[in-house]
Amino acid sequence: MAEALGNEYPSGYDENFVDTVEDDCLCLICQLPLREPLQTKCGHRFCKGCLEECFRRLEINGQPPTCPVDREVLDRDKPDVFSDKATERKILSFAIKCPCDGCEWTGELRNKETHLKACLFKVITCPNEHCHETMQQRELKRHVTITCLWRITECEHCNEPHPVCCMQDHIGRCLKYPVTCPNGCGLSIQRELIPNHTKDDCPHAMIFCPYVEMGCEKKVQRKQVETHLQTTMAVHLDLACLRLKETQDLTRQLMDKFSTLQNLFLEKVLKDESKMIERKNGTFLWKIPDFNQVFQQSKVGNKERVESVIPQTATYGYNLKLRIYPHGCGSYTNTHLSVFIVVMKGEYDDALAWPFSKRVRVTLIDQQDDEDKRENISSFINPQQNPASYFRPKEKENKGWGILGYISHEELKSRKYIVDDNLFLQVEIQENK
C-alpha cells in the first residue's frame, strides 16, 4: 500500500547519503528518508507532508483519517499522531554529499543549507536584469562584471547608464557623440550641436546674402560672404536706395492715415463727452459710447481720461464736470475705474457761496432688462473731505477730487454695465444733510 502511494505524495529527502539509511528512517509512503517525521499511535512513521496529503484525500472522499499502513482510525484531536524528534535528529545527523557537480563537500544533513549558501559549485542565475544565464557560483563575479551582455556600463560621451548589448544602439542616437559636420567642413562636433553649428558657424553652410531684406536673393557659403559683398557692392547700394524710397513712401502714407483716424476719433470722443443729459433738477445722465475703444485708448496712454461738463442750469449755478479714468489712478491704476468731480470757473461764481459744499452721488447704471434685478453701483463724493479742491477757482479749473477705486475692472465686466458698447453714469447733486 505504501509503495503504491509513494509517487503520488510529497517527497521526503532525496539526498546523496554517505551513510546507509535504515528502514525505520524511511517514510512508509514515499520510501525516502523521513522529512519532519510524524509517528502514529500504531507505531508507523511518515513524512509530515506525505501523511497530511493522505488525510486530505480521505477527507475529500468523506472518510475519517486512518493510518496508510494498517487503516487504524486516527483521532487528530488526540495525540494519535505526534512529531518524532528522536528520528528527525538521527536523520539530520546522517552524512551526505553536496548535490552540486564538482563539489567534494560531505557533512551532516542538517548543515546542507548552510553549505549551499556558500558552495562555489552551486548553479545560480545571473542577477543582472534581463539576463537569464545560469552558472556555478564561482563563475558569477567574472560573468557579472566582464562577460554578461546585460551588465550596465556608462556611455563615455554622455555618462548615461545602458546595458552593454544596447550600447551600440545608444551610440547611434547619443546627443554627446561626436559626428562629422554634414556640410563637409571637416569639424567633429557633438550631435546635439550640429544644428547650431550649421546655422551659425559652419563656413560651408549655404546662407542668404545679408542684403536679402533689400532684395538680394543670392545664397553663398558663409566663408564666401565677404567676397560676394565686395563684388556686388553697387548692386546692393541700388537695392538699398530703392528699398529706402519704398519705406519712406509707405511711412508717409501710414502717418497720413493715422493722423486722419486720430482726428476723427478725437472729434467723436469730444463730441460724445459733452452729452450729459439732464433727467431732473440736479440729476444728470452721461452716456459714454464706444466704451471699449475708450478703454483701450486709456490703456495705451493716448487718452487716459474722459470728461463731460455738467450743465450749469440746474446745478445751483456751479460750473462742474465729471472726469473718469478708465484705467484708474494712483494705487488703483490698471485695476479699477476712477471717478472725479472737478470745479471750473463759471459765469455765476461772484454770486455763489464758496467752497462748493454739495454732495455728489455718482451711480453706474446696470443695464439689465428687468429693473428689479439691476445692481447699480452708487458712491458719494463729499467735498468736505478735501475742501481745497472746492474753493472758488483761481485758474481755469481746480484739481479734481473723487473715488480712486470706484469699481474694479473685474466687477465692471461681471454684469451688464456695458451693453452695445455703451456705459451710463448718473450724477446727482444733493444738499448736504
Side-chain angles (χ1 to χ4, degrees):
M1 176 68 180
E3 291 180 350
L5 294 174
N7 292 333
E8 302 177 10
Y9 286 79
S11 296
Y13 293 108
D14 187 9
E15 311 292 349
N16 296 320
F17 283 92
V18 176
D19 299 325
T20 301
V21 180
E22 297 90 341
D23 289 344
D24 62 350
C25 291
L26 299 178
C27 172
L28 294 175
I29 294 178
C30 68
Q31 295 298 307
L32 294 174
L34 290 161
R35 183 186 293 272
E36 297 182 88
L38 298 178
Q39 186 174 353
T40 63
K41 67 178 183 179
C42 51
H44 300 111
R45 294 186 179 91
F46 307 93
C47 294
K48 180 179 179 181
C50 294
L51 187 60
E52 289 181 348
E53 176 64 16
C54 178
F55 288 167
R56 187 185 69 81
R57 295 187 182 187
L58 290 172
E59 288 175 0
I60 291 175
N61 295 325
Q63 300 176 10
T66 58
C67 175
V69 177
D70 57 16
R71 299 302 184 187
E72 183 172 350
V73 176
L74 302 173
D75 188 346
R76 303 183 69 173
D77 294 330
K78 296 180 180 180
D80 289 355
V81 180
F82 51 89
S83 296
D84 191 342
K85 293 296 182 181
T87 301
E88 183 175 24
R89 285 194 298 271
K90 182 178 179 181
I91 294 173
L92 290 176
S93 67
F94 288 159
I96 64 168
K97 294 180 180 180
C98 176
C100 302
D101 291 341
C103 182
E104 298 180 356
W105 177 86
T106 59
E108 291 185 352
L109 176 60
R110 61 169 50 88
N111 296 325
K112 173 189 173 184
E113 295 303 324
T114 302
H115 165 72
L116 286 179
K117 289 180 180 179
C119 180
L120 297 178
F121 294 87
K122 180 181 178 181
V123 176
I124 59 175
T125 302
C126 174
N128 287 333
E129 187 177 6
H130 303 302
C131 181
H132 305 295
E133 286 193 37
T134 58
M135 68 220 68
Q136 290 183 333
Q137 190 160 245
R138 59 179 179 165
E139 301 169 343
L140 178 63
K141 182 177 180 180
R142 182 175 183 278
H143 172 81
V144 169
T145 59
I146 299 176
T147 63
C148 180
L149 295 178
W150 287 97
R151 69 185 187 279
I152 301 298
T153 59
E154 286 188 354
C155 172
E156 63 179 317
H157 306 288
C158 68
N159 297 324
E160 289 184 6
H162 294 280
V164 171
C165 59
C166 300
M167 186 58 72
Q168 198 59 39
D169 290 338
H170 166 72
I171 291 296
R173 58 179 182 275
C174 177
L175 296 178
K176 302 293 184 181
Y177 186 78
V179 295
T180 303
C181 172
N183 292 329
C185 73
L187 290 180
S188 181
I189 304 165
Q190 290 182 354
R191 183 177 279 119
E192 64 181 350
L193 299 180
I194 285 293
N196 292 337
H197 168 71
T198 55
K199 178 184 176 183
D200 302 324
D201 302 315
C202 180
H204 287 195
M206 298 296 293
I207 62 173
F208 279 106
C209 168
Y211 282 81
V212 64
E213 297 294 336
M214 299 297 176
C216 181
E217 299 180 354
K218 182 72 173 178
K219 291 186 73 173
V220 296
Q221 287 186 332
R222 182 175 278 109
K223 65 181 181 179
Q224 297 175 344
V225 169
E226 291 300 326
T227 301
H228 168 72
L229 292 176
Q230 292 176 7
T231 57
T232 56
M233 188 178 300
V235 176
H236 289 161
L237 182 58
D238 290 343
L239 289 173
C241 292
L242 178 61
R243 185 54 55 91
L244 177 60
K245 184 178 183 305
E246 292 175 350
T247 302
Q248 290 175 332
D249 293 342
L250 179 60
T251 302
R252 192 177 298 109
Q253 294 173 13
L254 292 175
M255 291 298 294
D256 292 342
K257 185 175 181 180
F258 174 77
S259 179
T260 301
L261 292 175
Q262 186 179 44
N263 291 334
L264 290 174
F265 174 74
L266 292 176
E267 288 175 5
K268 187 176 188 305
V269 171
L270 290 173
K271 182 179 178 182
D272 291 338
E273 287 174 353
S274 65
K275 292 182 180 178
M276 177 80 76
I277 303 171
E278 185 174 3
R279 303 182 69 181
K280 60 181 180 179
N281 189 34
T283 302
F284 307 88
L285 185 65
W286 182 18
K287 174 184 178 182
I288 306 176
D290 301 323
F291 181 76
N292 286 314
Q293 188 175 9
V294 172
F295 188 84
Q296 291 299 322
Q297 290 289 330
S298 171
K299 182 177 181 180
V300 299
N302 291 345
K303 191 171 181 63
E304 64 178 7
R305 66 189 186 187
V306 184
E307 300 175 339
S308 182
V309 176
I310 301 174
Q312 287 182 266
T313 55
T315 58
Y316 307 96
Y318 294 97
N319 193 16
L320 309 174
K321 67 179 176 182
L322 185 67
R323 175 185 295 163
I324 68 169
Y325 291 81
H327 269 271
C329 294
S331 59
Y332 292 89
T333 300
N334 295 326
T335 61
H336 287 69
L337 180 145
S338 302
V339 177
F340 292 80
I341 288 292
V342 181
V343 178
M344 304 182 295
K345 277 188 175 182
E347 58 182 311
Y348 304 113
D349 288 356
D350 292 338
L352 297 175
W354 296 98
F356 174 77
S357 59
K358 313 300 180 185
R359 290 201 315 168
V360 181
R361 181 177 183 178
V362 181
T363 302
L364 176 61
I365 303 299
D366 185 352
Q367 301 177 54
Q368 297 280 349
D369 294 333
D370 188 344
E371 293 189 13
D372 294 334
K373 295 182 178 180
R374 291 182 179 178
E375 296 182 9
N376 297 337
I377 303 293
S378 293
S379 296
F380 285 96
I381 300 176
N382 191 345
Q384 296 179 355
Q385 295 176 345
N386 186 25
S389 294
Y390 295 95
F391 283 111
R392 181 175 177 176
K394 295 181 180 180
E395 305 295 335
K396 181 180 178 181
E397 61 184 38
N398 289 345
K399 185 177 180 180
W401 176 257
I403 307 168
L404 295 176
Y406 180 71
I407 183 173
S408 70
H409 293 163
E410 183 178 352
E411 187 178 2
L412 184 63
K413 299 175 183 178
S414 65
R415 298 183 61 81
K416 290 190 175 183
Y417 296 120
I418 304 171
V419 176
D420 296 332
D421 213 11
N422 296 318
L423 181 142
F424 288 90
L425 286 172
Q426 179 177 285
V427 182
E428 184 178 358
I429 312 299
Q430 300 179 347
E431 291 285 353
N432 269 327
K433 298 181 180 179

